[in-house]
Amino acid sequence: MSFPTFMDTPAQWPGPAPQEADVVVIGGGVIGVCTALFLARAGQRVVLLEKGRIAAEQSSRNWGWIRVQGRDPDEIPIVLEAADHWRALAQQTNVDIGLRQEGVTYLAESEKDYAKYEAWLEHARAHGLDSKMLSSAETAKLIPNLSRRYAGAIYTAQDMRAEPWVAVPALAGIAVREGATLVENCAVRGLDIEGGAVAGVITETGRIKAPQVVLAGGAWSSLFLQRHGVFVPQLSVRATVVATQPMDAVYEGGATDSKVAFRHRADGGYSLAQGGFSELFVGPQAFRSLRHYATQLRADPFGVRLLPRAPAGYPDAWGTPRRWADDDVSPFEKMRVLNPTPNRRKAAKLLRQFAAMMPGLGEVRHARTWAGMIDTMPDIVPVVDRVASIPGLTVGTGMSGHGFGIGPGMGRVLAALVTGDKVGHDLHRFRLSRFSDGSAMTLGPGI
């Protein structure tokens, strides 16, 4: 297997970086790659700089779901746009990215779950989605071999899936063919600022002049911004995923209950995880951001397991510097790929739970386990905005585990913010100022 991506993966785009560009994109995950693609299509000279490898962090480690089901209502129009882009982009590469429309199902373990899912349908109807509630019998028919009877489910047939470790590098290839310059193994140490505005970036190999910069740094974004005096209460949480060896496909889409989320992969195995469970390494940023997370903690006090300290070099590790000089080696060079050790106990439990959930499939054999660090926000929606205090800087981060599916839509939106083209969506909910203007942290009705 070739997933996820690691630092020992050969660089496809080694550079060198140009000395000048119209726009610099920082970060080679799905958001950065898609932003670079749409900037190139808009005629911009765009260079994307990635400290390690394209898609090596969360963008190759996610579940591979491309879903509108359960989204925050303000995300729905953008993910619908993203789905159209996914279908078009899949035809523009010579690689099979595994894009399939197989649906997503949330299994209701109780009448309370059923009612919660049913309440979300008002948002589905408002946007013309094909989401619907299934009875207990309909659920059993949709997903055979379930060991228990569920109260029912919510099902969205239009939802899709893809193989993220294949898809994001394939999108990067499209971006390069359309004129974007990608450079791996090139960390951005900071912004080059003149007269209070962006004049470019300072990389480990020198300066690049550019009047516009897009930060799509995932788990590293808040650390980068902190150096420039911009506070974003973004935290990074660890999520573990298990891959099984090939098994029968009883259901080709994605499904989840409170214990196991599963998706059948193109190689015949299943990817297993637990929805709603993650682990936070407590560090300085966690303490600084605590007040913003009060609403989320009250709503789901047991959804995150707290771990006492992050390993050395992690974005919020106690020993990670928050300030460094332009000619110093930055934290981004010291850890080029954030590759967290998975929770082995959780992985073993997921295998047992999936076997119990699907007894008719036979032995569930382990193939691989990995983990990723998800950049999350207090209200579980991202920041997609220009930074008022630093003209020329645009931020797209904090996708909260939702970034893969919505990536092409957010990339097009970020490109429009940079060029001044029509954004086409209401971005008020995603504004950066919500963390400083006294706004209450409002958890959306996403499920």
Side-chain angles (χ1 to χ4, degrees), residues 231-298:
F231 172 70
V232 178
Q234 172 191 299
L235 300 178
S236 300
V237 296
R238 181 176 70 172
T240 294
V241 183
V242 182
T244 76
Q245 293 186 21
M247 305 176 70
D248 290 341
V250 295
Y251 171 62
E252 290 284 4
T256 185
D257 65 7
S258 66
K259 297 183 178 66
V260 184
F262 65 89
R263 176 184 71 83
H264 201 243
R265 294 191 313 277
D267 65 5
Y270 285 88
S271 290
L272 311 177
Q274 181 180 351
F277 174 82
S278 56
E279 297 172 298
L280 171 66
F281 294 104
V282 177
Q285 178 74 351
F287 281 97
R288 293 181 70 210
S289 305
L290 181 60
R291 65 184 179 89
H292 295 284
Y293 283 83
T295 301
Q296 187 181 140
L297 289 170
R298 284 193 295 268

Side-chain angles (χ1 to χ4, degrees), residues 386-438:
R386 290 180 171 275
V387 178
S389 61
I390 307 178
L393 177 61
T394 303
V395 175
T397 194
M399 297 294 153
S400 301
H402 308 158
F404 178 68
I406 206 171
M410 281 300 188
R412 204 279 307 165
V413 165
L414 285 161
L417 282 175
V418 170
T419 62
D421 291 339
K422 185 178 180 181
V423 171
H425 302 291
D426 183 357
L427 302 182
H428 180 75
R429 178 140 168 77
F430 313 130
R431 70 197 186 283
L432 176 60
S433 64
R434 70 188 191 264
F435 304 115
S436 58
D437 63 7

